[in-house]
Amino acid sequence: MILAFSLLLFIGALFAMQPLMAAEEATPNQSEEEQAKGRHFIDVTSRRALDVLNKKDVLTQEELESEFRVILTDSFAIDYIGKLVLGRHRKTATKEELETYYDLFPDFLIKVYASRLTKLDTTEINIERIIPHGKKDMFVRTKVLGENNEVYDVDWRIRPFKDVDYQIIDVKIEGISMARTQRDDFTSRVSESKVSGLIQYMRNIIEGVEEAEPLEIEKDGKSDKKNDIDN
């Protein structure tokens, strides 16, 4: 009798927990409405970027970067990315170094992204699907067609912020995270020459003294698909 009563209590508890478990599993980024917003955001942003890339043969480098500056300012979470790629070194940098770093980072990011994205020789961008990530983020998977009929998987990681619906926090090309790659590069430079050395490197990139290292993209399917800013 006691066993049967205990079993009934257990079954009742399971039924009571089901709505709670469903509520916990349902995150905003899984709703069709939010995914439609994310899709529209990347559709607009990618078309703007493609319009600029299609003019790269008639624009000067300065004009190209000026066009990209507008897109990055509108669509990328530049301050967040800046904190993300500096990582733990924010704790060891002086107040003056951090101020200089954050002042330089937008121009640095424009130089790096403009250089890397133009090398894809993009002719067409098509959205394939939306992949929820965590509780808030989404990866918008696109197929990017190059001039030589090369096709690249490009994932735009977007996140909602208080003042805007969505902003881009990372771009993955063939599984390679640009934010993760940048963070690894910054970590290496800080280890070699401290934050002051990193700041000098950023100045060199902005002033054209140095060029940003190219993003190595593998088309043989051996790219590390787990390469992510979360790892």
mmCIF file of all heavy atoms in Angstrom, residues 29-30 34-35 38-39 41-42 127-134 136-142 153-160 166-173 175-179 225-231:
data_model
loop_
_atom_site.group_PDB
_atom_site.id
_atom_site.type_symbol
_atom_site.label_atom_id
_atom_site.label_comp_id
_atom_site.label_asym_id
_atom_site.label_seq_id
_atom_site.Cartn_x
_atom_site.Cartn_y
_atom_site.Cartn_z
ATOM 1 N N ASN A 29 15.340 32.531 -28.392
ATOM 2 C CA ASN A 29 15.949 32.309 -29.707
ATOM 3 C C ASN A 29 15.387 31.095 -30.446
ATOM 4 O O ASN A 29 15.767 30.828 -31.582
ATOM 5 C CB ASN A 29 17.475 32.192 -29.596
ATOM 6 C CG ASN A 29 17.920 31.087 -28.645
ATOM 7 O OD1 ASN A 29 17.107 30.316 -28.139
ATOM 8 N ND2 ASN A 29 19.210 31.009 -28.400
ATOM 9 N N GLN A 30 14.469 30.372 -29.801
ATOM 10 C CA GLN A 30 13.828 29.239 -30.464
ATOM 11 C C GLN A 30 12.482 29.609 -31.087
ATOM 12 O O GLN A 30 11.895 28.811 -31.813
ATOM 13 C CB GLN A 30 13.641 28.088 -29.467
ATOM 14 C CG GLN A 30 14.959 27.481 -29.001
ATOM 15 C CD GLN A 30 14.760 26.397 -27.954
ATOM 16 O OE1 GLN A 30 13.737 26.384 -27.260
ATOM 17 N NE2 GLN A 30 15.710 25.500 -27.830
ATOM 18 N N GLU A 34 11.420 35.478 -33.276
ATOM 19 C CA GLU A 34 12.776 35.969 -33.047
ATOM 20 C C GLU A 34 13.717 35.498 -34.155
ATOM 21 O O GLU A 34 14.603 36.245 -34.591
ATOM 22 C CB GLU A 34 13.287 35.502 -31.683
ATOM 23 C CG GLU A 34 12.660 36.217 -30.512
ATOM 24 C CD GLU A 34 12.841 37.725 -30.581
ATOM 25 O OE1 GLU A 34 13.970 38.185 -30.853
ATOM 26 O OE2 GLU A 34 11.852 38.454 -30.379
ATOM 27 N N GLN A 35 13.533 34.280 -34.609
ATOM 28 C CA GLN A 35 14.383 33.778 -35.683
ATOM 29 C C GLN A 35 14.141 34.545 -36.979
ATOM 30 O O GLN A 35 15.073 34.782 -37.755
ATOM 31 C CB GLN A 35 14.161 32.281 -35.881
ATOM 32 C CG GLN A 35 14.685 31.447 -34.724
ATOM 33 C CD GLN A 35 14.609 29.956 -34.983
ATOM 34 O OE1 GLN A 35 14.317 29.522 -36.101
ATOM 35 N NE2 GLN A 35 14.880 29.156 -33.959
ATOM 36 N N GLY A 38 16.076 37.716 -36.639
ATOM 37 C CA GLY A 38 17.491 37.467 -36.859
ATOM 38 C C GLY A 38 17.815 37.273 -38.328
ATOM 39 O O GLY A 38 18.813 37.798 -38.847
ATOM 40 N N ARG A 39 16.956 36.536 -39.015
ATOM 41 C CA ARG A 39 17.143 36.295 -40.453
ATOM 42 C C ARG A 39 17.093 37.618 -41.225
ATOM 43 O O ARG A 39 17.932 37.876 -42.103
ATOM 44 C CB ARG A 39 16.055 35.351 -40.963
ATOM 45 C CG ARG A 39 16.095 35.105 -42.464
ATOM 46 C CD ARG A 39 14.931 34.221 -42.890
ATOM 47 N NE ARG A 39 15.122 32.848 -42.457
ATOM 48 C CZ ARG A 39 15.736 31.916 -43.187
ATOM 49 N NH1 ARG A 39 16.226 32.218 -44.378
ATOM 50 N NH2 ARG A 39 15.848 30.690 -42.736
ATOM 51 N N PHE A 41 17.644 40.655 -40.093
ATOM 52 C CA PHE A 41 18.797 41.477 -39.725
ATOM 53 C C PHE A 41 20.022 41.097 -40.555
ATOM 54 O O PHE A 41 20.705 41.960 -41.112
ATOM 55 C CB PHE A 41 19.079 41.323 -38.227
ATOM 56 C CG PHE A 41 20.393 41.903 -37.784
ATOM 57 C CD1 PHE A 41 20.637 43.264 -37.855
ATOM 58 C CD2 PHE A 41 21.389 41.078 -37.290
ATOM 59 C CE1 PHE A 41 21.854 43.797 -37.440
ATOM 60 C CE2 PHE A 41 22.601 41.586 -36.868
ATOM 61 C CZ PHE A 41 22.835 42.952 -36.950
ATOM 62 N N ILE A 42 20.307 39.803 -40.638
ATOM 63 C CA ILE A 42 21.481 39.364 -41.402
ATOM 64 C C ILE A 42 21.263 39.530 -42.897
ATOM 65 O O ILE A 42 22.201 39.851 -43.641
ATOM 66 C CB ILE A 42 21.840 37.903 -41.053
ATOM 67 C CG1 ILE A 42 22.384 37.835 -39.620
ATOM 68 C CG2 ILE A 42 22.862 37.334 -42.029
ATOM 69 C CD1 ILE A 42 23.624 38.691 -39.371
ATOM 70 N N ILE A 127 20.976 33.007 -47.236
ATOM 71 C CA ILE A 127 20.706 32.501 -45.886
ATOM 72 C C ILE A 127 20.109 31.100 -45.988
ATOM 73 O O ILE A 127 19.152 30.879 -46.730
ATOM 74 C CB ILE A 127 19.745 33.441 -45.137
ATOM 75 C CG1 ILE A 127 20.404 34.803 -44.922
ATOM 76 C CG2 ILE A 127 19.339 32.832 -43.788
ATOM 77 C CD1 ILE A 127 19.522 35.829 -44.264
ATOM 78 N N GLU A 128 20.677 30.184 -45.208
ATOM 79 C CA GLU A 128 20.210 28.799 -45.235
ATOM 80 C C GLU A 128 19.310 28.454 -44.059
ATOM 81 O O GLU A 128 18.225 27.953 -44.226
ATOM 82 C CB GLU A 128 21.417 27.846 -45.236
ATOM 83 C CG GLU A 128 22.069 27.691 -46.590
ATOM 84 C CD GLU A 128 22.689 26.320 -46.743
ATOM 85 O OE1 GLU A 128 23.218 25.789 -45.746
ATOM 86 O OE2 GLU A 128 22.627 25.781 -47.855
ATOM 87 N N ARG A 129 19.805 28.711 -42.844
ATOM 88 C CA ARG A 129 19.010 28.338 -41.677
ATOM 89 C C ARG A 129 19.476 29.102 -40.449
ATOM 90 O O ARG A 129 20.529 29.731 -40.447
ATOM 91 C CB ARG A 129 19.097 26.829 -41.414
ATOM 92 C CG ARG A 129 20.493 26.296 -41.179
ATOM 93 C CD ARG A 129 20.512 24.771 -41.288
ATOM 94 N NE ARG A 129 21.852 24.225 -41.169
ATOM 95 C CZ ARG A 129 22.335 23.604 -40.113
ATOM 96 N NH1 ARG A 129 21.575 23.463 -39.030
ATOM 97 N NH2 ARG A 129 23.552 23.100 -40.104
ATOM 98 N N ILE A 130 18.648 28.999 -39.396
ATOM 99 C CA ILE A 130 18.942 29.638 -38.116
ATOM 100 C C ILE A 130 19.257 28.550 -37.089
ATOM 101 O O ILE A 130 18.516 27.567 -36.975
ATOM 102 C CB ILE A 130 17.749 30.478 -37.608
ATOM 103 C CG1 ILE A 130 17.234 31.419 -38.716
ATOM 104 C CG2 ILE A 130 18.131 31.240 -36.350
ATOM 105 C CD1 ILE A 130 18.208 32.477 -39.130
ATOM 106 N N ILE A 131 20.341 28.731 -36.337
ATOM 107 C CA ILE A 131 20.738 27.745 -35.335
ATOM 108 C C ILE A 131 20.776 28.434 -33.971
ATOM 109 O O ILE A 131 21.672 29.243 -33.708
ATOM 110 C CB ILE A 131 22.120 27.152 -35.656
ATOM 111 C CG1 ILE A 131 22.151 26.607 -37.091
ATOM 112 C CG2 ILE A 131 22.489 26.056 -34.645
ATOM 113 C CD1 ILE A 131 23.539 26.255 -37.594
ATOM 114 N N PRO A 132 19.813 28.158 -33.081
ATOM 115 C CA PRO A 132 19.863 28.742 -31.736
ATOM 116 C C PRO A 132 21.129 28.294 -31.005
ATOM 117 O O PRO A 132 21.575 27.155 -31.160
ATOM 118 C CB PRO A 132 18.608 28.178 -31.053
ATOM 119 C CG PRO A 132 17.706 27.772 -32.175
ATOM 120 C CD PRO A 132 18.616 27.322 -33.283
ATOM 121 N N HIS A 133 21.686 29.208 -30.222
ATOM 122 C CA HIS A 133 22.911 28.889 -29.480
ATOM 123 C C HIS A 133 22.778 29.464 -28.076
ATOM 124 O O HIS A 133 22.658 30.680 -27.906
ATOM 125 C CB HIS A 133 24.136 29.477 -30.185
ATOM 126 C CG HIS A 133 25.441 29.117 -29.543
ATOM 127 N ND1 HIS A 133 26.083 27.923 -29.783
ATOM 128 C CD2 HIS A 133 26.211 29.786 -28.649
ATOM 129 C CE1 HIS A 133 27.204 27.872 -29.090
ATOM 130 N NE2 HIS A 133 27.298 28.992 -28.389
ATOM 131 N N GLY A 134 22.812 28.579 -27.072
ATOM 132 C CA GLY A 134 22.608 29.053 -25.708
ATOM 133 C C GLY A 134 21.194 29.555 -25.517
ATOM 134 O O GLY A 134 20.254 29.116 -26.182
ATOM 135 N N LYS A 136 20.298 32.987 -25.700
ATOM 136 C CA LYS A 136 19.975 34.223 -26.403
ATOM 137 C C LYS A 136 20.504 34.286 -27.831
ATOM 138 O O LYS A 136 19.884 34.889 -28.700
ATOM 139 C CB LYS A 136 20.527 35.429 -25.623
ATOM 140 C CG LYS A 136 19.958 35.604 -24.230
ATOM 141 C CD LYS A 136 20.452 36.901 -23.598
ATOM 142 C CE LYS A 136 21.965 36.919 -23.436
ATOM 143 N NZ LYS A 136 22.435 38.170 -22.783
ATOM 144 N N ASP A 137 21.660 33.687 -28.062
ATOM 145 C CA ASP A 137 22.337 33.846 -29.343
ATOM 146 C C ASP A 137 21.724 32.987 -30.442
ATOM 147 O O ASP A 137 21.042 32.001 -30.171
ATOM 148 C CB ASP A 137 23.821 33.500 -29.223
ATOM 149 C CG ASP A 137 24.559 34.445 -28.282
ATOM 150 O OD1 ASP A 137 23.921 35.368 -27.740
ATOM 151 O OD2 ASP A 137 25.768 34.251 -28.097
ATOM 152 N N MET A 138 22.023 33.385 -31.676
ATOM 153 C CA MET A 138 21.667 32.581 -32.843
ATOM 154 C C MET A 138 22.821 32.644 -33.833
ATOM 155 O O MET A 138 23.477 33.686 -33.963
ATOM 156 C CB MET A 138 20.402 33.115 -33.526
ATOM 157 C CG MET A 138 19.110 32.849 -32.788
ATOM 158 S SD MET A 138 17.662 33.386 -33.742
ATOM 159 C CE MET A 138 17.588 35.116 -33.303
ATOM 160 N N PHE A 139 23.071 31.524 -34.497
ATOM 161 C CA PHE A 139 23.951 31.513 -35.658
ATOM 162 C C PHE A 139 23.057 31.555 -36.889
ATOM 163 O O PHE A 139 22.185 30.702 -37.057
ATOM 164 C CB PHE A 139 24.813 30.248 -35.700
ATOM 165 C CG PHE A 139 25.997 30.283 -34.775
ATOM 166 C CD1 PHE A 139 26.027 29.497 -33.631
ATOM 167 C CD2 PHE A 139 27.087 31.088 -35.057
ATOM 168 C CE1 PHE A 139 27.122 29.522 -32.783
ATOM 169 C CE2 PHE A 139 28.190 31.118 -34.213
ATOM 170 C CZ PHE A 139 28.206 30.336 -33.078
ATOM 171 N N VAL A 140 23.277 32.537 -37.741
ATOM 172 C CA VAL A 140 22.567 32.598 -39.014
ATOM 173 C C VAL A 140 23.508 32.021 -40.065
ATOM 174 O O VAL A 140 24.507 32.653 -40.424
ATOM 175 C CB VAL A 140 22.144 34.038 -39.364
ATOM 176 C CG1 VAL A 140 21.370 34.051 -40.688
ATOM 177 C CG2 VAL A 140 21.296 34.637 -38.249
ATOM 178 N N ARG A 141 23.210 30.815 -40.514
ATOM 179 C CA ARG A 141 24.066 30.113 -41.483
ATOM 180 C C ARG A 141 23.805 30.631 -42.890
ATOM 181 O O ARG A 141 22.668 30.643 -43.359
ATOM 182 C CB ARG A 141 23.792 28.610 -41.408
ATOM 183 C CG ARG A 141 24.329 27.767 -42.551
ATOM 184 C CD ARG A 141 25.840 27.753 -42.634
ATOM 185 N NE ARG A 141 26.478 27.307 -41.407
ATOM 186 C CZ ARG A 141 26.709 26.035 -41.100
ATOM 187 N NH1 ARG A 141 26.307 25.068 -41.918
ATOM 188 N NH2 ARG A 141 27.335 25.726 -39.974
ATOM 189 N N THR A 142 24.862 31.092 -43.548
ATOM 190 C CA THR A 142 24.749 31.547 -44.927
ATOM 191 C C THR A 142 25.732 30.787 -45.815
ATOM 192 O O THR A 142 26.751 30.285 -45.334
ATOM 193 C CB THR A 142 25.037 33.058 -45.064
ATOM 194 O OG1 THR A 142 26.385 33.336 -44.644
ATOM 195 C CG2 THR A 142 24.078 33.876 -44.220
ATOM 196 N N ASP A 153 30.803 28.282 -46.055
ATOM 197 C CA ASP A 153 29.824 28.374 -44.978
ATOM 198 C C ASP A 153 30.233 29.540 -44.087
ATOM 199 O O ASP A 153 31.329 29.545 -43.522
ATOM 200 C CB ASP A 153 29.810 27.092 -44.130
ATOM 201 C CG ASP A 153 29.138 25.935 -44.849
ATOM 202 O OD1 ASP A 153 28.270 26.195 -45.693
ATOM 203 O OD2 ASP A 153 29.496 24.774 -44.566
ATOM 204 N N VAL A 154 29.371 30.527 -43.993
ATOM 205 C CA VAL A 154 29.638 31.682 -43.128
ATOM 206 C C VAL A 154 28.506 31.795 -42.119
ATOM 207 O O VAL A 154 27.344 31.944 -42.489
ATOM 208 C CB VAL A 154 29.776 32.986 -43.942
ATOM 209 C CG1 VAL A 154 30.008 34.173 -43.009
ATOM 210 C CG2 VAL A 154 30.920 32.867 -44.949
ATOM 211 N N ASP A 155 28.851 31.702 -40.842
ATOM 212 C CA ASP A 155 27.875 31.799 -39.757
ATOM 213 C C ASP A 155 28.025 33.141 -39.058
ATOM 214 O O ASP A 155 29.116 33.491 -38.593
ATOM 215 C CB ASP A 155 28.084 30.673 -38.729
ATOM 216 C CG ASP A 155 27.821 29.300 -39.313
ATOM 217 O OD1 ASP A 155 27.130 29.222 -40.335
ATOM 218 O OD2 ASP A 155 28.316 28.305 -38.745
ATOM 219 N N TRP A 156 26.930 33.860 -38.967
ATOM 220 C CA TRP A 156 26.909 35.156 -38.297
ATOM 221 C C TRP A 156 26.298 34.935 -36.914
ATOM 222 O O TRP A 156 25.123 34.590 -36.804
ATOM 223 C CB TRP A 156 26.066 36.162 -39.075
ATOM 224 C CG TRP A 156 26.410 36.249 -40.534
ATOM 225 C CD1 TRP A 156 26.088 35.344 -41.506
ATOM 226 C CD2 TRP A 156 27.128 37.300 -41.193
ATOM 227 N NE1 TRP A 156 26.565 35.755 -42.729
ATOM 228 C CE2 TRP A 156 27.201 36.948 -42.573
ATOM 229 C CE3 TRP A 156 27.710 38.500 -40.761
ATOM 230 C CZ2 TRP A 156 27.838 37.760 -43.512
ATOM 231 C CZ3 TRP A 156 28.340 39.299 -41.698
ATOM 232 C CH2 TRP A 156 28.402 38.936 -43.041
ATOM 233 N N ARG A 157 27.073 35.119 -35.878
ATOM 234 C CA ARG A 157 26.546 34.931 -34.528
ATOM 235 C C ARG A 157 25.969 36.254 -34.029
ATOM 236 O O ARG A 157 26.677 37.262 -33.939
ATOM 237 C CB ARG A 157 27.635 34.440 -33.574
ATOM 238 C CG ARG A 157 27.111 34.175 -32.159
ATOM 239 C CD ARG A 157 28.146 33.479 -31.315
ATOM 240 N NE ARG A 157 27.685 33.290 -29.956
ATOM 241 C CZ ARG A 157 28.389 32.660 -29.015
ATOM 242 N NH1 ARG A 157 29.589 32.164 -29.302
ATOM 243 N NH2 ARG A 157 27.907 32.531 -27.796
ATOM 244 N N ILE A 158 24.686 36.242 -33.736
ATOM 245 C CA ILE A 158 24.017 37.476 -33.324
ATOM 246 C C ILE A 158 23.442 37.321 -31.914
ATOM 247 O O ILE A 158 23.144 36.221 -31.461
ATOM 248 C CB ILE A 158 22.908 37.869 -34.314
ATOM 249 C CG1 ILE A 158 21.831 36.772 -34.400
ATOM 250 C CG2 ILE A 158 23.492 38.142 -35.689
ATOM 251 C CD1 ILE A 158 20.644 37.153 -35.279
ATOM 252 N N ARG A 159 23.302 38.462 -31.245
ATOM 253 C CA ARG A 159 22.794 38.470 -29.874
ATOM 254 C C ARG A 159 21.934 39.722 -29.671
ATOM 255 O O ARG A 159 22.286 40.808 -30.167
ATOM 256 C CB ARG A 159 23.951 38.480 -28.878
ATOM 257 C CG ARG A 159 23.524 38.621 -27.411
ATOM 258 C CD ARG A 159 24.722 38.541 -26.477
ATOM 259 N NE ARG A 159 25.342 37.210 -26.537
ATOM 260 C CZ ARG A 159 26.423 36.886 -25.840
ATOM 261 N NH1 ARG A 159 27.013 37.781 -25.068
ATOM 262 N NH2 ARG A 159 26.934 35.661 -25.928
ATOM 263 N N PRO A 160 20.819 39.608 -28.956
ATOM 264 C CA PRO A 160 20.008 40.802 -28.665
ATOM 265 C C PRO A 160 20.657 41.635 -27.562
ATOM 266 O O PRO A 160 21.216 41.090 -26.612
ATOM 267 C CB PRO A 160 18.675 40.210 -28.197
ATOM 268 C CG PRO A 160 19.032 38.874 -27.629
ATOM 269 C CD PRO A 160 20.199 38.367 -28.435
ATOM 270 N N TYR A 166 19.223 43.126 -32.461
ATOM 271 C CA TYR A 166 20.341 42.195 -32.618
ATOM 272 C C TYR A 166 21.584 42.917 -33.105
ATOM 273 O O TYR A 166 21.499 43.915 -33.823
ATOM 274 C CB TYR A 166 19.996 41.076 -33.617
ATOM 275 C CG TYR A 166 19.053 40.051 -33.042
ATOM 276 C CD1 TYR A 166 17.684 40.100 -33.340
ATOM 277 C CD2 TYR A 166 19.506 39.064 -32.165
ATOM 278 C CE1 TYR A 166 16.806 39.176 -32.798
ATOM 279 C CE2 TYR A 166 18.628 38.139 -31.620
ATOM 280 C CZ TYR A 166 17.289 38.198 -31.939
ATOM 281 O OH TYR A 166 16.429 37.295 -31.386
ATOM 282 N N GLN A 167 22.725 42.380 -32.686
ATOM 283 C CA GLN A 167 24.009 42.822 -33.225
ATOM 284 C C GLN A 167 24.896 41.594 -33.411
ATOM 285 O O GLN A 167 24.717 40.573 -32.741
ATOM 286 C CB GLN A 167 24.692 43.841 -32.307
ATOM 287 C CG GLN A 167 24.078 45.235 -32.379
ATOM 288 C CD GLN A 167 24.944 46.280 -31.686
ATOM 289 O OE1 GLN A 167 25.387 46.091 -30.562
ATOM 290 N NE2 GLN A 167 25.169 47.390 -32.363
ATOM 291 N N ILE A 168 25.847 41.712 -34.315
ATOM 292 C CA ILE A 168 26.773 40.605 -34.590
ATOM 293 C C ILE A 168 27.898 40.619 -33.561
ATOM 294 O O ILE A 168 28.513 41.668 -33.326
ATOM 295 C CB ILE A 168 27.351 40.744 -36.007
ATOM 296 C CG1 ILE A 168 26.225 40.662 -37.047
ATOM 297 C CG2 ILE A 168 28.408 39.659 -36.272
ATOM 298 C CD1 ILE A 168 26.634 41.152 -38.428
ATOM 299 N N ILE A 169 28.173 39.456 -32.960
ATOM 300 C CA ILE A 169 29.283 39.373 -32.017
ATOM 301 C C ILE A 169 30.424 38.495 -32.543
ATOM 302 O O ILE A 169 31.507 38.486 -31.959
ATOM 303 C CB ILE A 169 28.830 38.871 -30.622
ATOM 304 C CG1 ILE A 169 28.289 37.435 -30.707
ATOM 305 C CG2 ILE A 169 27.797 39.814 -30.014
ATOM 306 C CD1 ILE A 169 28.023 36.813 -29.330
ATOM 307 N N ASP A 170 30.167 37.786 -33.639
ATOM 308 C CA ASP A 170 31.227 36.970 -34.233
ATOM 309 C C ASP A 170 30.818 36.545 -35.635
ATOM 310 O O ASP A 170 29.626 36.500 -35.960
ATOM 311 C CB ASP A 170 31.495 35.723 -33.371
ATOM 312 C CG ASP A 170 32.779 34.984 -33.754
ATOM 313 O OD1 ASP A 170 33.596 35.567 -34.501
ATOM 314 O OD2 ASP A 170 32.968 33.845 -33.292
ATOM 315 N N VAL A 171 31.825 36.267 -36.453
ATOM 316 C CA VAL A 171 31.603 35.716 -37.786
ATOM 317 C C VAL A 171 32.495 34.485 -37.914
ATOM 318 O O VAL A 171 33.699 34.562 -37.654
ATOM 319 C CB VAL A 171 31.950 36.725 -38.904
ATOM 320 C CG1 VAL A 171 31.700 36.102 -40.277
ATOM 321 C CG2 VAL A 171 31.150 38.010 -38.748
ATOM 322 N N LYS A 172 31.897 33.364 -38.299
ATOM 323 C CA LYS A 172 32.667 32.133 -38.492
ATOM 324 C C LYS A 172 32.691 31.795 -39.981
ATOM 325 O O LYS A 172 31.636 31.690 -40.601
ATOM 326 C CB LYS A 172 32.055 30.977 -37.705
ATOM 327 C CG LYS A 172 32.114 31.158 -36.198
ATOM 328 C CD LYS A 172 31.440 30.014 -35.449
ATOM 329 C CE LYS A 172 32.245 28.748 -35.522
ATOM 330 N NZ LYS A 172 31.665 27.680 -34.670
ATOM 331 N N ILE A 173 33.891 31.648 -40.515
ATOM 332 C CA ILE A 173 34.056 31.302 -41.923
ATOM 333 C C ILE A 173 34.624 29.890 -42.012
ATOM 334 O O ILE A 173 35.732 29.637 -41.531
ATOM 335 C CB ILE A 173 34.982 32.304 -42.636
ATOM 336 C CG1 ILE A 173 34.441 33.730 -42.489
ATOM 337 C CG2 ILE A 173 35.118 31.939 -44.117
ATOM 338 C CD1 ILE A 173 35.362 34.803 -43.033
ATOM 339 N N GLY A 175 33.851 27.435 -40.252
ATOM 340 C CA GLY A 175 34.068 26.945 -38.900
ATOM 341 C C GLY A 175 35.115 27.695 -38.110
ATOM 342 O O GLY A 175 35.335 27.403 -36.930
ATOM 343 N N ILE A 176 35.791 28.667 -38.732
ATOM 344 C CA ILE A 176 36.842 29.412 -38.036
ATOM 345 C C ILE A 176 36.264 30.725 -37.504
ATOM 346 O O ILE A 176 35.825 31.580 -38.269
ATOM 347 C CB ILE A 176 38.030 29.708 -38.965
ATOM 348 C CG1 ILE A 176 38.592 28.403 -39.560
ATOM 349 C CG2 ILE A 176 39.120 30.465 -38.220
ATOM 350 C CD1 ILE A 176 39.092 27.413 -38.536
ATOM 351 N N SER A 177 36.273 30.865 -36.191
ATOM 352 C CA SER A 177 35.733 32.056 -35.540
ATOM 353 C C SER A 177 36.723 33.207 -35.651
ATOM 354 O O SER A 177 37.868 33.110 -35.221
ATOM 355 C CB SER A 177 35.452 31.754 -34.063
ATOM 356 O OG SER A 177 35.364 32.945 -33.310
ATOM 357 N N MET A 178 36.262 34.319 -36.234
ATOM 358 C CA MET A 178 37.125 35.491 -36.343
ATOM 359 C C MET A 178 37.418 36.093 -34.977
ATOM 360 O O MET A 178 38.521 36.569 -34.711
ATOM 361 C CB MET A 178 36.491 36.521 -37.281
ATOM 362 C CG MET A 178 36.452 36.060 -38.734
ATOM 363 S SD MET A 178 35.734 37.263 -39.885
ATOM 364 C CE MET A 178 36.993 38.528 -39.922
ATOM 365 N N ALA A 179 36.440 36.061 -34.080
ATOM 366 C CA ALA A 179 36.652 36.587 -32.729
ATOM 367 C C ALA A 179 37.642 35.712 -31.957
ATOM 368 O O ALA A 179 38.531 36.217 -31.264
ATOM 369 C CB ALA A 179 35.321 36.684 -31.981
ATOM 370 N N LYS A 225 35.291 22.592 -36.403
ATOM 371 C CA LYS A 225 33.956 23.167 -36.281
ATOM 372 C C LYS A 225 33.658 23.607 -34.846
ATOM 373 O O LYS A 225 32.673 24.263 -34.589
ATOM 374 C CB LYS A 225 32.911 22.140 -36.736
ATOM 375 C CG LYS A 225 33.005 21.778 -38.218
ATOM 376 C CD LYS A 225 32.818 22.974 -39.113
ATOM 377 C CE LYS A 225 32.905 22.593 -40.580
ATOM 378 N NZ LYS A 225 32.774 23.743 -41.475
ATOM 379 N N LYS A 226 34.519 23.232 -33.893
ATOM 380 C CA LYS A 226 34.322 23.651 -32.510
ATOM 381 C C LYS A 226 35.097 24.923 -32.198
ATOM 382 O O LYS A 226 35.124 25.374 -31.073
ATOM 383 C CB LYS A 226 34.729 22.526 -31.552
ATOM 384 C CG LYS A 226 33.825 21.302 -31.634
ATOM 385 C CD LYS A 226 34.235 20.242 -30.623
ATOM 386 C CE LYS A 226 33.314 19.024 -30.718
ATOM 387 N NZ LYS A 226 33.714 17.959 -29.768
ATOM 388 N N ASN A 227 35.769 25.474 -33.221
ATOM 389 C CA ASN A 227 36.496 26.698 -33.024
ATOM 390 C C ASN A 227 35.486 27.810 -32.775
ATOM 391 O O ASN A 227 34.759 28.221 -33.668
ATOM 392 C CB ASN A 227 37.333 27.006 -34.274
ATOM 393 C CG ASN A 227 38.108 28.295 -34.153
ATOM 394 O OD1 ASN A 227 37.532 29.381 -34.212
ATOM 395 N ND2 ASN A 227 39.405 28.180 -33.965
ATOM 396 N N ASP A 228 35.414 28.257 -31.521
ATOM 397 C CA ASP A 228 34.375 29.205 -31.145
ATOM 398 C C ASP A 228 34.897 30.079 -30.035
ATOM 399 O O ASP A 228 35.798 29.706 -29.285
ATOM 400 C CB ASP A 228 33.131 28.445 -30.664
ATOM 401 C CG ASP A 228 31.866 29.257 -30.825
ATOM 402 O OD1 ASP A 228 31.920 30.460 -30.511
ATOM 403 O OD2 ASP A 228 30.841 28.705 -31.247
ATOM 404 N N ILE A 229 34.338 31.269 -29.925
ATOM 405 C CA ILE A 229 34.739 32.185 -28.862
ATOM 406 C C ILE A 229 34.373 31.650 -27.486
ATOM 407 O O ILE A 229 34.924 32.051 -26.478
ATOM 408 C CB ILE A 229 34.103 33.588 -29.090
ATOM 409 C CG1 ILE A 229 34.823 34.650 -28.240
ATOM 410 C CG2 ILE A 229 32.624 33.550 -28.827
ATOM 411 C CD1 ILE A 229 36.249 34.877 -28.607
ATOM 412 N N ASP A 230 33.437 30.685 -27.420
ATOM 413 C CA ASP A 230 33.050 30.096 -26.148
ATOM 414 C C ASP A 230 34.103 29.132 -25.616
ATOM 415 O O ASP A 230 34.143 28.841 -24.429
ATOM 416 C CB ASP A 230 31.737 29.316 -26.285
ATOM 417 C CG ASP A 230 30.575 30.232 -26.605
ATOM 418 O OD1 ASP A 230 30.623 31.401 -26.193
ATOM 419 O OD2 ASP A 230 29.634 29.785 -27.278
ATOM 420 N N ASN A 231 34.956 28.589 -26.502
ATOM 421 C CA ASN A 231 35.898 27.549 -26.113
ATOM 422 C C ASN A 231 37.216 28.136 -25.623
ATOM 423 O O ASN A 231 37.590 29.198 -26.017
ATOM 424 C CB ASN A 231 36.174 26.618 -27.303
ATOM 425 C CG ASN A 231 34.893 25.992 -27.826
ATOM 426 O OD1 ASN A 231 34.644 25.997 -29.020
ATOM 427 N ND2 ASN A 231 34.072 25.472 -26.936
#
